[in-house]
Amino acid sequence: MHTDARILENNSIPEADICIVGAGAAGISIALELMNTPYKVILLEGGGFEYEDRVQDLYRGETTGQPYYPLESSELHYFGGTTGHWGGMCSLFDPIAFQKRDWVDQSGWPITQDDLIPYYKRAHYNLDIKKYQFDLDYWQKQDPSLVSLPFDEKVVWTKIWNFSPPTRFGRKYKDTIVNAKNIHLYTYANVVDISCNENVSVAQSVTIKNYTGKTHQIKAKYFVIACAGIQNPRVLLAANKQSPKGLGNDHDLVGRYFMEHIEIKSAELWLKEKNDLNLYMFKSPRVQGELAIMPEKQAEYKILNGIISFTPLEKAEKMPSYIQIWSKSDPREDEKKVDMAINRITGNRIKRFFESIESEVSGDIHQAFQMTMRLEQAPNPLSRVTLSNEKDELGVPRAALNWSFTSLEKKSIRKIYEIIGEQAGVSGIGRVRLMEELWDEKDESMPNTTSGGWHHMGTTRMSDDPKNGVVDSNCKIHGIQNIFIAGSSCFPTGAGVNPTYTIVALSIRLADHLKEIMKTGFRVA
């Protein structure tokens, strides 16, 4: 069922068993799992079914620190959310990503990879991944041309990526959600406040508004905030009428530990003999390999997890970094700029970057390759989302992002390339050349060409200790009985791979938890 909240009678009070705030990958995944249950579910989307300038402007905000993309163009504000930006890359978070690492402050999840594997296996259907298989040997048996680089497997290994088409949740699941008997979708329903009981231990309702000037209250037994990594903390911090610091912010953690994947063109691989590096080329919809450092070596050298991809150098040199291209407030304009940059390289053989990627390098052999690193960011309390003094058109303070690093990021980049360089030399295949801006070991600053992947993580981080995290292992806010957070804002660390696959897996796990507490008759006090 679908209702446009703009046509609701003013001050209406819809009620549900579960209210999900946000209809992106996380919110829609939870709603799909709750279909055909005996529970009434309200799914709130702040926008409509298509991009609209006025709605998207609600995401406009401020940025300081390391240069970052305009906030209003890094998350999409309509049904389906930021899956409209997604490139479709899917891989597992490695076991080390969940572990406490003594060289990475504030690392460690309260769950393990084993806890998530059953949900990864279910998530691959949501994302239209053709086969749940991330083992290199398996894919090499399917295609003998997928030859890995001859490096010591105790030091460097090849991590496998699968590809979603990519699935656009707004397109694929619109009819399913609208036609679901127990799912009530409200569009143009922006949450502007959360009301709790007197001691702020139980949420009672959320207030929604849109541009018609109408206000509505949604009441529910349980609430799930699924508005992505910048808007999740913004919603909680702005709900400060009863809790001056914001909901769930007793320990000043909401909005802190913002993490991105640092994406940086940082080295070159020069081969003695030309090679197509077929395994490592980006060729959707089949698999792709990227180089990673073994966990034991990460521990030995006390470095972060970084993944390295390859692009033929003569093509990569013509492509600016994404932070240089993606600079407009309108993401449609940014997407056009990316498409134009890629089409100049490929001769218009890629029609639209975010819709269909077909490699033009199949069968080509090259002497030199650009090496691009995707590095996890160390949890850093100074890297954070706060509230701006400026308010949006609905009266909610805008988000302000300060993107900040530690010394561990640049140290890790240098060491990873040192390791790869040693392996290239020992194996006799060639040499690695580090980019000049990374030569100075005393310089901890990151180049202005440092990009991110629109991967907003960590701002409502998970921990069983409320002094170290905003939510517990079931994604429930500490101290509030019935508010859960969904999405990558719950990630304590970001691993080295894109978050969408893990977002969906964690959301399915949360949906199972909600069904269990509803089934057992548990109710808030």
Side-chain angles (χ1 to χ4, degrees):
M1 182 182 299
H2 168 235
T3 301
D4 186 327
R6 295 174 299 182
I7 65 173
L8 281 177
E9 183 178 350
N10 196 31
N11 296 319
S12 62
I13 310 177
E15 297 189 22
D17 294 304
I18 300 169
C19 174
I20 305 168
V21 181
I28 291 175
S29 293
I30 295 170
L32 292 171
E33 293 296 319
L34 294 174
M35 283 175 50
N36 302 317
T37 64
Y39 315 118
K40 180 179 178 181
V41 178
I42 287 179
L43 176 61
L44 301 178
E45 169 52 51
F49 292 112
E50 302 293 339
Y51 182 95
E52 297 175 47
D53 289 322
R54 194 175 182 186
V55 174
Q56 190 67 26
D57 182 72
L58 297 174
Y59 280 0
R60 179 161 52 85
E62 304 171 3
T63 60
T64 55
Q66 181 75 21
Y68 197 67
Y69 308 104
L71 296 189
E72 62 268 41
S73 65
S74 63
E75 292 178 347
L76 296 177
H77 197 20
Y78 57 90
F79 185 77
T82 311
T83 61
H85 274 169
W86 186 40
M89 299 179 71
C90 296
S91 195
L92 304 176
F93 274 30
D94 300 325
I96 192 173
F98 299 90
Q99 297 166 4
K100 173 65 179 175
R101 291 167 278 172
D102 59 15
W103 65 96
V104 182
D105 190 35
Q106 295 298 325
S107 60
W109 295 46
I111 61 175
T112 67
Q113 189 204 55
D114 286 342
D115 293 324
L116 267 192
I117 288 295
Y119 302 100
Y120 276 126
K121 291 179 178 178
R122 288 163 61 181
H124 96 276
Y125 293 107
N126 295 50
L127 300 173
D128 300 309
I129 301 173
K130 290 186 176 180
K131 193 172 189 65
Y132 178 82
Q133 181 57 257
F134 295 91
D135 181 69
L136 173 61
D137 290 340
Y138 171 86
W139 289 109
Q140 288 179 325
K141 289 176 182 177
Q142 310 306 309
D143 183 354
S145 75
L146 302 179
V147 179
S148 53
L149 287 164
F151 295 163
D152 185 345
E153 295 180 353
K154 294 181 180 179
V155 179
V156 178
W157 64 293
T158 297
K159 186 171 180 61
I160 288 295
W161 294 79
N162 265 305
F163 290 91
S164 169
T167 299
R168 303 300 183 213
F169 275 50
R171 296 177 194 168
K172 179 173 181 179
Y173 296 116
K174 175 185 175 182
D175 291 344
T176 302
I177 294 294
V178 169
N179 294 327
K181 293 182 180 179
N182 69 313
I183 308 293
H184 297 254
L185 170 66
Y186 289 82
T187 52
Y188 301 99
N190 294 277
V191 169
V192 298
D193 198 13
I194 303 173
S195 297
C196 298
N197 63 349
E198 186 174 354
N199 63 0
V200 198
S201 62
V202 177
Q204 297 175 329
S205 66
V206 295
T207 302
I208 62 172
K209 288 185 177 181
N210 54 49
Y211 293 124
T212 63
K214 296 178 180 178
T215 302
H216 313 287
Q217 301 291 324
I218 309 293
K219 292 186 175 182
K221 298 181 178 71
Y222 297 95
F223 296 88
V224 180
I225 311 300
C227 301
I230 291 177
Q231 301 306 318
N232 277 351
R234 181 189 178 201
V235 168
L236 296 180
L237 292 171
N240 54 20
K241 292 179 181 177
Q242 294 175 281
S243 296
K245 295 181 180 179
L247 291 181
N249 201 29
D250 292 345
H251 297 282
D252 191 27
L253 294 175
V254 173
R256 290 191 184 272
Y257 299 100
F258 172 85
M259 297 177 294
E260 251 279 17
H261 286 124
I262 299 167
E263 298 186 358
I264 180 172
K265 295 180 179 182
S266 34
E268 298 168 0
L269 174 64
W270 286 81
L271 300 174
K272 287 185 177 180
E273 298 182 3
K274 290 184 178 181
N275 197 310
D276 62 7
L277 294 191
N278 193 32
L279 171 60
Y280 303 96
M281 292 297 100
F282 193 3
K283 296 180 182 178
S284 177
R286 48 145 263 190
V287 298
Q288 177 194 5
E290 294 189 357
L291 293 186
I293 307 301
M294 288 295 290
E296 295 79 7
K297 290 299 176 180
Q298 292 180 44
E300 177 182 344
Y301 294 114
K302 299 188 181 300
I303 56 176
L304 296 164
N305 198 347
I307 315 294
I308 295 174
S309 63
F310 298 88
T311 306
L313 185 58
E314 66 265 30
K315 300 181 184 297
E317 288 179 330
K318 301 175 184 177
M319 184 71 180
S321 66
Y322 279 100
I323 199 72
Q324 294 169 310
I325 302 175
W326 200 276
S327 58
K328 300 290 186 181
S329 59
D330 187 335
R332 297 167 299 181
E333 294 301 315
D334 289 321
E335 185 176 333
K336 289 178 183 177
K337 289 168 63 181
V338 172
D339 291 337
M340 289 174 62
I342 294 177
N343 290 343
R344 282 195 298 270
I345 299 170
T346 62
N348 293 319
R349 294 183 67 180
I350 297 179
K351 294 182 179 180
R352 291 191 65 77
F353 176 67
F354 289 108
E355 296 300 328
S356 175
I357 302 176
E358 298 176 357
S359 175
E360 81 291 351
V361 298
S362 180
D364 291 351
I365 59 174
H366 304 271
Q367 195 86 47
F369 292 83
Q370 175 76 63
M371 301 173 73
T372 300
M373 183 177 293
R374 183 186 302 101
L375 183 75
E376 69 170 325
Q377 181 177 348
N380 177 6
L382 300 180
S383 186
R384 66 185 301 194
V385 174
T386 56
L387 296 181
S388 166
N389 291 326
E390 181 185 348
K391 294 184 177 180
D392 67 21
E393 192 170 342
L394 300 180
V396 180
R398 295 189 182 277
L401 169 65
N402 181 63
W403 191 23
S404 179
F405 301 134
T406 70
S407 61
L408 188 54
E409 282 84 3
K410 207 161 186 183
K411 170 193 171 183
S412 298
I413 293 172
R414 291 194 190 95
K415 176 52 71 172
I416 289 170
Y417 281 122
E418 180 181 319
I419 294 170
I420 301 298
E422 290 174 351
Q423 290 296 307
V426 169
S427 64
I429 67 166
R431 292 290 185 267
V432 169
R433 176 183 178 272
L434 190 66
M435 296 295 96
E436 186 174 347
E437 56 264 35
L438 298 173
W439 289 356
D440 186 355
E441 295 183 3
K442 296 180 181 179
D443 181 8
E444 296 180 355
S445 65
M446 298 295 287
N448 286 338
T449 54
T450 302
S451 300
W454 309 289
H455 305 158
H456 305 154
M457 302 172 286
T459 51
T460 62
R461 67 196 323 264
M462 182 191 297
S463 173
D464 282 335
D465 183 349
K467 294 181 180 179
N468 293 322
V470 177
V471 301
D472 64 17
S473 59
N474 290 315
C475 299
K476 185 187 74 67
I477 293 180
H478 289 295
I480 302 179
Q481 297 183 37
N482 63 334
I483 302 183
F484 296 82
I485 305 294
S488 54
S489 68
C490 297
F491 296 0
T493 52
V497 299
N498 298 29
T500 302
Y501 192 21
T502 302
I503 288 171
V504 175
L506 194 62
S507 297
I508 294 173
R509 180 177 180 269
L510 173 54
D512 276 6
H513 179 67
L514 290 168
K515 286 186 283 187
E516 186 63 27
I517 60 178
M518 292 294 292
K519 182 175 66 176
T520 56
F522 177 81
R523 293 293 183 269
V524 296

